[in-house]
Amino acid sequence: MIKYIALYRPAADPEAFEEAYFSSHLPLIDKVPGLVRQEIARVQRVFVPGMLGETQPYLVAELYFESKDAMKTAFASPEWQAAGANLTEIGGMELVSMFSAEVVE
């Protein structure tokens, strides 16, 4: 299994960003082919500050796929493209760092 992780810093208006994120972005992500599950978490506390410089994490989105190939197929889909366009529209691309990680246990 592999997961795609999006780590967001706080928006200037967190409530407005969350409203747009949960009402418009996540429904598009739900339609991405090959997505096994997703988890969205609000960061409550940073235990060891400094790794991210002065940036504080705010939201963590984890999208799980069965394999690298399934994730590649998802990334090439119109559904993924629509979700990316939406994230740009709601200002999320300015707030996010994205990476993938292989689930090892």
mmCIF file of all heavy atoms in Angstrom, residues 42-84:
data_model
loop_
_atom_site.group_PDB
_atom_site.id
_atom_site.type_symbol
_atom_site.label_atom_id
_atom_site.label_comp_id
_atom_site.label_asym_id
_atom_site.label_seq_id
_atom_site.Cartn_x
_atom_site.Cartn_y
_atom_site.Cartn_z
ATOM 1 N N ARG A 42 -6.772 17.373 11.831
ATOM 2 C CA ARG A 42 -6.375 18.717 12.223
ATOM 3 C C ARG A 42 -5.254 18.563 13.262
ATOM 4 O O ARG A 42 -5.433 17.867 14.267
ATOM 5 C CB ARG A 42 -7.570 19.450 12.836
ATOM 6 C CG ARG A 42 -7.524 20.931 12.722
ATOM 7 C CD ARG A 42 -8.790 21.592 13.266
ATOM 8 N NE ARG A 42 -9.899 21.535 12.317
ATOM 9 C CZ ARG A 42 -11.017 20.842 12.490
ATOM 10 N NH1 ARG A 42 -11.207 20.111 13.557
ATOM 11 N NH2 ARG A 42 -11.967 20.866 11.586
ATOM 12 N N VAL A 43 -4.113 19.180 13.015
ATOM 13 C CA VAL A 43 -2.982 19.075 13.936
ATOM 14 C C VAL A 43 -3.349 19.791 15.238
ATOM 15 O O VAL A 43 -3.776 20.941 15.216
ATOM 16 C CB VAL A 43 -1.698 19.669 13.318
ATOM 17 C CG1 VAL A 43 -0.560 19.669 14.320
ATOM 18 C CG2 VAL A 43 -1.321 18.894 12.059
ATOM 19 N N GLN A 44 -3.186 19.087 16.336
ATOM 20 C CA GLN A 44 -3.520 19.646 17.640
ATOM 21 C C GLN A 44 -2.297 20.195 18.375
ATOM 22 O O GLN A 44 -2.396 21.156 19.120
ATOM 23 C CB GLN A 44 -4.180 18.572 18.526
ATOM 24 C CG GLN A 44 -5.486 18.078 17.968
ATOM 25 C CD GLN A 44 -6.526 19.174 17.926
ATOM 26 O OE1 GLN A 44 -6.842 19.775 18.955
ATOM 27 N NE2 GLN A 44 -7.051 19.471 16.757
ATOM 28 N N ARG A 45 -1.143 19.531 18.160
ATOM 29 C CA ARG A 45 0.054 19.924 18.889
ATOM 30 C C ARG A 45 1.281 19.459 18.130
ATOM 31 O O ARG A 45 1.303 18.360 17.584
ATOM 32 C CB ARG A 45 0.029 19.297 20.273
ATOM 33 C CG ARG A 45 1.205 19.651 21.122
ATOM 34 C CD ARG A 45 1.074 19.083 22.515
ATOM 35 N NE ARG A 45 2.313 19.323 23.234
ATOM 36 C CZ ARG A 45 2.644 18.708 24.346
ATOM 37 N NH1 ARG A 45 1.829 17.806 24.859
ATOM 38 N NH2 ARG A 45 3.784 18.966 24.933
ATOM 39 N N VAL A 46 2.303 20.282 18.109
ATOM 40 C CA VAL A 46 3.603 19.911 17.550
ATOM 41 C C VAL A 46 4.514 19.638 18.738
ATOM 42 O O VAL A 46 4.771 20.530 19.546
ATOM 43 C CB VAL A 46 4.168 21.036 16.650
ATOM 44 C CG1 VAL A 46 5.557 20.678 16.163
ATOM 45 C CG2 VAL A 46 3.236 21.295 15.485
ATOM 46 N N PHE A 47 4.985 18.408 18.848
ATOM 47 C CA PHE A 47 5.769 18.021 20.016
ATOM 48 C C PHE A 47 7.243 18.411 19.911
ATOM 49 O O PHE A 47 7.883 18.680 20.907
ATOM 50 C CB PHE A 47 5.648 16.514 20.267
ATOM 51 C CG PHE A 47 4.279 16.130 20.752
ATOM 52 C CD1 PHE A 47 3.323 15.667 19.855
ATOM 53 C CD2 PHE A 47 3.932 16.261 22.078
ATOM 54 C CE1 PHE A 47 2.054 15.328 20.297
ATOM 55 C CE2 PHE A 47 2.672 15.934 22.528
ATOM 56 C CZ PHE A 47 1.722 15.462 21.631
ATOM 57 N N VAL A 48 7.789 18.391 18.706
ATOM 58 C CA VAL A 48 9.183 18.776 18.495
ATOM 59 C C VAL A 48 9.197 19.853 17.410
ATOM 60 O O VAL A 48 9.274 19.551 16.223
ATOM 61 C CB VAL A 48 10.054 17.568 18.084
ATOM 62 C CG1 VAL A 48 11.504 17.989 17.925
ATOM 63 C CG2 VAL A 48 9.930 16.435 19.097
ATOM 64 N N PRO A 49 9.091 21.111 17.804
ATOM 65 C CA PRO A 49 9.037 22.179 16.817
ATOM 66 C C PRO A 49 10.381 22.382 16.124
ATOM 67 O O PRO A 49 11.418 21.975 16.623
ATOM 68 C CB PRO A 49 8.649 23.403 17.648
ATOM 69 C CG PRO A 49 9.074 23.084 19.044
ATOM 70 C CD PRO A 49 9.004 21.593 19.171
ATOM 71 N N GLY A 50 10.327 22.986 14.964
ATOM 72 C CA GLY A 50 11.539 23.374 14.268
ATOM 73 C C GLY A 50 11.851 22.599 13.011
ATOM 74 O O GLY A 50 12.531 23.117 12.141
ATOM 75 N N MET A 51 11.388 21.370 12.882
ATOM 76 C CA MET A 51 11.709 20.583 11.699
ATOM 77 C C MET A 51 11.200 21.263 10.430
ATOM 78 O O MET A 51 11.824 21.199 9.389
ATOM 79 C CB MET A 51 11.124 19.180 11.791
ATOM 80 C CG MET A 51 11.456 18.329 10.605
ATOM 81 S SD MET A 51 10.702 16.714 10.761
ATOM 82 C CE MET A 51 10.644 16.251 9.062
ATOM 83 N N LEU A 52 10.080 21.918 10.528
ATOM 84 C CA LEU A 52 9.481 22.593 9.384
ATOM 85 C C LEU A 52 9.810 24.087 9.383
ATOM 86 O O LEU A 52 9.122 24.872 8.747
ATOM 87 C CB LEU A 52 7.966 22.387 9.385
ATOM 88 C CG LEU A 52 7.503 20.931 9.307
ATOM 89 C CD1 LEU A 52 6.007 20.842 9.532
ATOM 90 C CD2 LEU A 52 7.890 20.314 7.981
ATOM 91 N N GLY A 53 10.854 24.458 10.094
ATOM 92 C CA GLY A 53 11.190 25.868 10.210
ATOM 93 C C GLY A 53 10.133 26.561 11.042
ATOM 94 O O GLY A 53 9.684 26.029 12.052
ATOM 95 N N GLU A 54 9.731 27.725 10.608
ATOM 96 C CA GLU A 54 8.711 28.461 11.347
ATOM 97 C C GLU A 54 7.292 28.077 10.925
ATOM 98 O O GLU A 54 6.328 28.535 11.516
ATOM 99 C CB GLU A 54 8.934 29.959 11.164
ATOM 100 C CG GLU A 54 10.212 30.434 11.821
ATOM 101 C CD GLU A 54 10.375 31.934 11.752
ATOM 102 O OE1 GLU A 54 9.355 32.654 11.676
ATOM 103 O OE2 GLU A 54 11.529 32.376 11.777
ATOM 104 N N THR A 55 7.172 27.244 9.898
ATOM 105 C CA THR A 55 5.864 26.808 9.426
ATOM 106 C C THR A 55 5.254 25.818 10.411
ATOM 107 O O THR A 55 5.905 24.872 10.833
ATOM 108 C CB THR A 55 5.984 26.134 8.046
ATOM 109 O OG1 THR A 55 6.547 27.082 7.140
ATOM 110 C CG2 THR A 55 4.639 25.671 7.540
ATOM 111 N N GLN A 56 4.018 26.059 10.760
ATOM 112 C CA GLN A 56 3.306 25.141 11.647
ATOM 113 C C GLN A 56 2.302 24.338 10.837
ATOM 114 O O GLN A 56 1.541 24.916 10.056
ATOM 115 C CB GLN A 56 2.583 25.919 12.744
ATOM 116 C CG GLN A 56 3.528 26.579 13.725
ATOM 117 C CD GLN A 56 4.389 25.572 14.460
ATOM 118 O OE1 GLN A 56 3.901 24.572 14.988
ATOM 119 N NE2 GLN A 56 5.689 25.814 14.478
ATOM 120 N N PRO A 57 2.278 23.026 10.990
ATOM 121 C CA PRO A 57 1.281 22.222 10.276
ATOM 122 C C PRO A 57 -0.114 22.475 10.851
ATOM 123 O O PRO A 57 -0.273 22.733 12.042
ATOM 124 C CB PRO A 57 1.736 20.788 10.523
ATOM 125 C CG PRO A 57 2.537 20.844 11.779
ATOM 126 C CD PRO A 57 3.152 22.218 11.836
ATOM 127 N N TYR A 58 -1.099 22.399 9.971
ATOM 128 C CA TYR A 58 -2.478 22.672 10.359
ATOM 129 C C TYR A 58 -3.394 21.477 10.053
ATOM 130 O O TYR A 58 -4.097 20.980 10.923
ATOM 131 C CB TYR A 58 -2.969 23.922 9.638
ATOM 132 C CG TYR A 58 -4.410 24.244 9.881
ATOM 133 C CD1 TYR A 58 -4.853 24.605 11.140
ATOM 134 C CD2 TYR A 58 -5.335 24.185 8.851
ATOM 135 C CE1 TYR A 58 -6.180 24.893 11.376
ATOM 136 C CE2 TYR A 58 -6.668 24.479 9.070
ATOM 137 C CZ TYR A 58 -7.086 24.829 10.331
ATOM 138 O OH TYR A 58 -8.402 25.115 10.560
ATOM 139 N N LEU A 59 -3.395 21.045 8.786
ATOM 140 C CA LEU A 59 -4.180 19.879 8.375
ATOM 141 C C LEU A 59 -3.259 18.864 7.734
ATOM 142 O O LEU A 59 -2.298 19.235 7.049
ATOM 143 C CB LEU A 59 -5.241 20.256 7.334
ATOM 144 C CG LEU A 59 -6.512 20.951 7.751
ATOM 145 C CD1 LEU A 59 -7.385 21.213 6.526
ATOM 146 C CD2 LEU A 59 -7.285 20.138 8.769
ATOM 147 N N VAL A 60 -3.578 17.594 7.937
ATOM 148 C CA VAL A 60 -2.876 16.504 7.278
ATOM 149 C C VAL A 60 -3.921 15.666 6.556
ATOM 150 O O VAL A 60 -4.886 15.214 7.171
ATOM 151 C CB VAL A 60 -2.117 15.617 8.294
ATOM 152 C CG1 VAL A 60 -1.396 14.486 7.583
ATOM 153 C CG2 VAL A 60 -1.155 16.440 9.135
ATOM 154 N N ALA A 61 -3.728 15.499 5.252
ATOM 155 C CA ALA A 61 -4.616 14.642 4.463
ATOM 156 C C ALA A 61 -3.808 13.431 4.008
ATOM 157 O O ALA A 61 -2.710 13.587 3.473
ATOM 158 C CB ALA A 61 -5.150 15.396 3.252
ATOM 159 N N GLU A 62 -4.325 12.240 4.252
ATOM 160 C CA GLU A 62 -3.667 11.011 3.828
ATOM 161 C C GLU A 62 -4.621 10.238 2.924
ATOM 162 O O GLU A 62 -5.737 9.912 3.326
ATOM 163 C CB GLU A 62 -3.276 10.163 5.034
ATOM 164 C CG GLU A 62 -2.241 10.853 5.914
ATOM 165 C CD GLU A 62 -1.903 10.046 7.147
ATOM 166 O OE1 GLU A 62 -2.760 10.016 8.056
ATOM 167 O OE2 GLU A 62 -0.818 9.450 7.181
ATOM 168 N N LEU A 63 -4.179 9.986 1.699
ATOM 169 C CA LEU A 63 -4.970 9.259 0.718
ATOM 170 C C LEU A 63 -4.271 7.942 0.431
ATOM 171 O O LEU A 63 -3.111 7.934 0.032
ATOM 172 C CB LEU A 63 -5.094 10.073 -0.575
ATOM 173 C CG LEU A 63 -5.510 11.530 -0.438
ATOM 174 C CD1 LEU A 63 -5.555 12.191 -1.806
ATOM 175 C CD2 LEU A 63 -6.837 11.658 0.265
ATOM 176 N N TYR A 64 -4.965 6.848 0.623
ATOM 177 C CA TYR A 64 -4.375 5.517 0.498
ATOM 178 C C TYR A 64 -4.754 4.854 -0.821
ATOM 179 O O TYR A 64 -5.919 4.888 -1.225
ATOM 180 C CB TYR A 64 -4.860 4.631 1.647
ATOM 181 C CG TYR A 64 -4.340 5.043 2.996
ATOM 182 C CD1 TYR A 64 -4.948 6.079 3.715
ATOM 183 C CD2 TYR A 64 -3.243 4.401 3.563
ATOM 184 C CE1 TYR A 64 -4.468 6.459 4.957
ATOM 185 C CE2 TYR A 64 -2.775 4.779 4.810
ATOM 186 C CZ TYR A 64 -3.389 5.808 5.497
ATOM 187 O OH TYR A 64 -2.907 6.181 6.730
ATOM 188 N N PHE A 65 -3.751 4.234 -1.444
ATOM 189 C CA PHE A 65 -3.926 3.476 -2.682
ATOM 190 C C PHE A 65 -3.275 2.114 -2.515
ATOM 191 O O PHE A 65 -2.312 1.959 -1.756
ATOM 192 C CB PHE A 65 -3.274 4.221 -3.862
ATOM 193 C CG PHE A 65 -3.860 5.581 -4.112
ATOM 194 C CD1 PHE A 65 -3.336 6.704 -3.492
ATOM 195 C CD2 PHE A 65 -4.943 5.736 -4.957
ATOM 196 C CE1 PHE A 65 -3.876 7.961 -3.709
ATOM 197 C CE2 PHE A 65 -5.496 6.992 -5.186
ATOM 198 C CZ PHE A 65 -4.967 8.103 -4.559
ATOM 199 N N GLU A 66 -3.785 1.112 -3.235
ATOM 200 C CA GLU A 66 -3.259 -0.253 -3.119
ATOM 201 C C GLU A 66 -1.802 -0.368 -3.551
ATOM 202 O O GLU A 66 -1.064 -1.180 -3.015
ATOM 203 C CB GLU A 66 -4.110 -1.231 -3.945
ATOM 204 C CG GLU A 66 -5.439 -1.564 -3.317
ATOM 205 C CD GLU A 66 -5.317 -2.315 -2.003
ATOM 206 O OE1 GLU A 66 -4.359 -3.092 -1.815
ATOM 207 O OE2 GLU A 66 -6.190 -2.098 -1.139
ATOM 208 N N SER A 67 -1.397 0.421 -4.534
ATOM 209 C CA SER A 67 -0.048 0.283 -5.090
ATOM 210 C C SER A 67 0.394 1.582 -5.750
ATOM 211 O O SER A 67 -0.424 2.486 -5.961
ATOM 212 C CB SER A 67 -0.029 -0.836 -6.146
ATOM 213 O OG SER A 67 -0.838 -0.467 -7.254
ATOM 214 N N LYS A 68 1.678 1.637 -6.106
ATOM 215 C CA LYS A 68 2.188 2.788 -6.851
ATOM 216 C C LYS A 68 1.466 2.926 -8.181
ATOM 217 O O LYS A 68 1.148 4.033 -8.617
ATOM 218 C CB LYS A 68 3.691 2.642 -7.103
ATOM 219 C CG LYS A 68 4.534 2.840 -5.891
ATOM 220 C CD LYS A 68 6.004 2.693 -6.259
ATOM 221 C CE LYS A 68 6.869 2.729 -5.023
ATOM 222 N NZ LYS A 68 8.294 2.559 -5.359
ATOM 223 N N ASP A 69 1.220 1.791 -8.837
ATOM 224 C CA ASP A 69 0.517 1.837 -10.125
ATOM 225 C C ASP A 69 -0.896 2.390 -9.978
ATOM 226 O O ASP A 69 -1.357 3.173 -10.818
ATOM 227 C CB ASP A 69 0.477 0.459 -10.775
ATOM 228 C CG ASP A 69 1.838 0.025 -11.304
ATOM 229 O OD1 ASP A 69 2.694 0.911 -11.541
ATOM 230 O OD2 ASP A 69 2.045 -1.177 -11.480
ATOM 231 N N ALA A 70 -1.586 1.988 -8.920
ATOM 232 C CA ALA A 70 -2.940 2.500 -8.680
ATOM 233 C C ALA A 70 -2.897 4.003 -8.433
ATOM 234 O O ALA A 70 -3.764 4.749 -8.913
ATOM 235 C CB ALA A 70 -3.583 1.778 -7.504
ATOM 236 N N MET A 71 -1.868 4.460 -7.715
ATOM 237 C CA MET A 71 -1.737 5.892 -7.451
ATOM 238 C C MET A 71 -1.415 6.644 -8.741
ATOM 239 O O MET A 71 -1.999 7.691 -9.011
ATOM 240 C CB MET A 71 -0.660 6.150 -6.398
ATOM 241 C CG MET A 71 -0.609 7.597 -5.954
ATOM 242 S SD MET A 71 0.469 7.896 -4.527
ATOM 243 C CE MET A 71 2.071 7.551 -5.250
ATOM 244 N N LYS A 72 -0.539 6.084 -9.576
ATOM 245 C CA LYS A 72 -0.222 6.716 -10.861
ATOM 246 C C LYS A 72 -1.459 6.834 -11.743
ATOM 247 O O LYS A 72 -1.689 7.854 -12.392
ATOM 248 C CB LYS A 72 0.858 5.920 -11.600
ATOM 249 C CG LYS A 72 2.234 6.113 -11.054
ATOM 250 C CD LYS A 72 3.221 5.295 -11.885
ATOM 251 C CE LYS A 72 4.604 5.362 -11.322
ATOM 252 N NZ LYS A 72 5.561 4.564 -12.109
ATOM 253 N N THR A 73 -2.257 5.778 -11.765
ATOM 254 C CA THR A 73 -3.500 5.798 -12.541
ATOM 255 C C THR A 73 -4.441 6.871 -12.006
ATOM 256 O O THR A 73 -5.058 7.614 -12.774
ATOM 257 C CB THR A 73 -4.177 4.407 -12.505
ATOM 258 O OG1 THR A 73 -3.292 3.453 -13.090
ATOM 259 C CG2 THR A 73 -5.500 4.407 -13.246
ATOM 260 N N ALA A 74 -4.534 6.966 -10.686
ATOM 261 C CA ALA A 74 -5.385 7.990 -10.079
ATOM 262 C C ALA A 74 -4.915 9.384 -10.461
ATOM 263 O O ALA A 74 -5.724 10.252 -10.806
ATOM 264 C CB ALA A 74 -5.383 7.834 -8.557
ATOM 265 N N PHE A 75 -3.609 9.607 -10.428
ATOM 266 C CA PHE A 75 -3.057 10.927 -10.746
ATOM 267 C C PHE A 75 -3.315 11.326 -12.199
ATOM 268 O O PHE A 75 -3.378 12.512 -12.505
ATOM 269 C CB PHE A 75 -1.558 10.964 -10.481
ATOM 270 C CG PHE A 75 -1.172 10.944 -9.021
ATOM 271 C CD1 PHE A 75 0.154 10.911 -8.669
ATOM 272 C CD2 PHE A 75 -2.116 10.968 -8.013
ATOM 273 C CE1 PHE A 75 0.540 10.900 -7.339
ATOM 274 C CE2 PHE A 75 -1.745 10.955 -6.676
ATOM 275 C CZ PHE A 75 -0.409 10.927 -6.340
ATOM 276 N N ALA A 76 -3.484 10.362 -13.063
ATOM 277 C CA ALA A 76 -3.737 10.646 -14.482
ATOM 278 C C ALA A 76 -5.227 10.815 -14.787
ATOM 279 O O ALA A 76 -5.590 11.152 -15.907
ATOM 280 C CB ALA A 76 -3.166 9.520 -15.340
ATOM 281 N N SER A 77 -6.071 10.614 -13.793
ATOM 282 C CA SER A 77 -7.513 10.633 -14.029
ATOM 283 C C SER A 77 -8.079 12.052 -14.091
ATOM 284 O O SER A 77 -7.549 12.983 -13.479
ATOM 285 C CB SER A 77 -8.236 9.855 -12.919
ATOM 286 O OG SER A 77 -8.207 10.594 -11.707
ATOM 287 N N PRO A 78 -9.198 12.204 -14.812
ATOM 288 C CA PRO A 78 -9.878 13.509 -14.838
ATOM 289 C C PRO A 78 -10.360 13.933 -13.447
ATOM 290 O O PRO A 78 -10.395 15.115 -13.129
ATOM 291 C CB PRO A 78 -11.063 13.292 -15.775
ATOM 292 C CG PRO A 78 -10.840 12.000 -16.467
ATOM 293 C CD PRO A 78 -9.832 11.226 -15.675
ATOM 294 N N GLU A 79 -10.688 12.952 -12.618
ATOM 295 C CA GLU A 79 -11.156 13.257 -11.266
ATOM 296 C C GLU A 79 -10.045 13.912 -10.438
ATOM 297 O O GLU A 79 -10.285 14.872 -9.693
ATOM 298 C CB GLU A 79 -11.651 11.980 -10.569
ATOM 299 C CG GLU A 79 -12.897 11.397 -11.181
ATOM 300 C CD GLU A 79 -12.645 10.445 -12.357
ATOM 301 O OE1 GLU A 79 -11.482 10.303 -12.806
ATOM 302 O OE2 GLU A 79 -13.620 9.835 -12.824
ATOM 303 N N TRP A 80 -8.820 13.393 -10.583
ATOM 304 C CA TRP A 80 -7.677 13.967 -9.872
ATOM 305 C C TRP A 80 -7.387 15.374 -10.393
ATOM 306 O O TRP A 80 -7.112 16.285 -9.607
ATOM 307 C CB TRP A 80 -6.449 13.072 -10.027
ATOM 308 C CG TRP A 80 -5.288 13.540 -9.209
ATOM 309 C CD1 TRP A 80 -4.235 14.301 -9.636
ATOM 310 C CD2 TRP A 80 -5.071 13.302 -7.826
ATOM 311 N NE1 TRP A 80 -3.380 14.540 -8.599
ATOM 312 C CE2 TRP A 80 -3.867 13.935 -7.478
ATOM 313 C CE3 TRP A 80 -5.774 12.598 -6.843
ATOM 314 C CZ2 TRP A 80 -3.346 13.891 -6.189
ATOM 315 C CZ3 TRP A 80 -5.253 12.564 -5.560
ATOM 316 C CH2 TRP A 80 -4.056 13.197 -5.243
ATOM 317 N N GLN A 81 -7.468 15.542 -11.697
ATOM 318 C CA GLN A 81 -7.232 16.858 -12.294
ATOM 319 C C GLN A 81 -8.258 17.872 -11.793
ATOM 320 O O GLN A 81 -7.917 19.020 -11.496
ATOM 321 C CB GLN A 81 -7.265 16.765 -13.824
ATOM 322 C CG GLN A 81 -6.235 15.815 -14.418
ATOM 323 C CD GLN A 81 -4.815 16.095 -13.977
ATOM 324 O OE1 GLN A 81 -4.369 17.232 -13.981
ATOM 325 N NE2 GLN A 81 -4.100 15.058 -13.588
ATOM 326 N N ALA A 82 -9.503 17.445 -11.688
ATOM 327 C CA ALA A 82 -10.559 18.331 -11.183
ATOM 328 C C ALA A 82 -10.296 18.707 -9.723
ATOM 329 O O ALA A 82 -10.485 19.866 -9.322
ATOM 330 C CB ALA A 82 -11.924 17.666 -11.327
ATOM 331 N N ALA A 83 -9.858 17.739 -8.934
ATOM 332 C CA ALA A 83 -9.558 18.016 -7.528
ATOM 333 C C ALA A 83 -8.387 18.991 -7.409
ATOM 334 O O ALA A 83 -8.400 19.894 -6.563
ATOM 335 C CB ALA A 83 -9.257 16.712 -6.787
ATOM 336 N N GLY A 84 -7.371 18.834 -8.259
ATOM 337 C CA GLY A 84 -6.236 19.752 -8.248
ATOM 338 C C GLY A 84 -6.640 21.164 -8.639
ATOM 339 O O GLY A 84 -6.200 22.145 -8.034
#
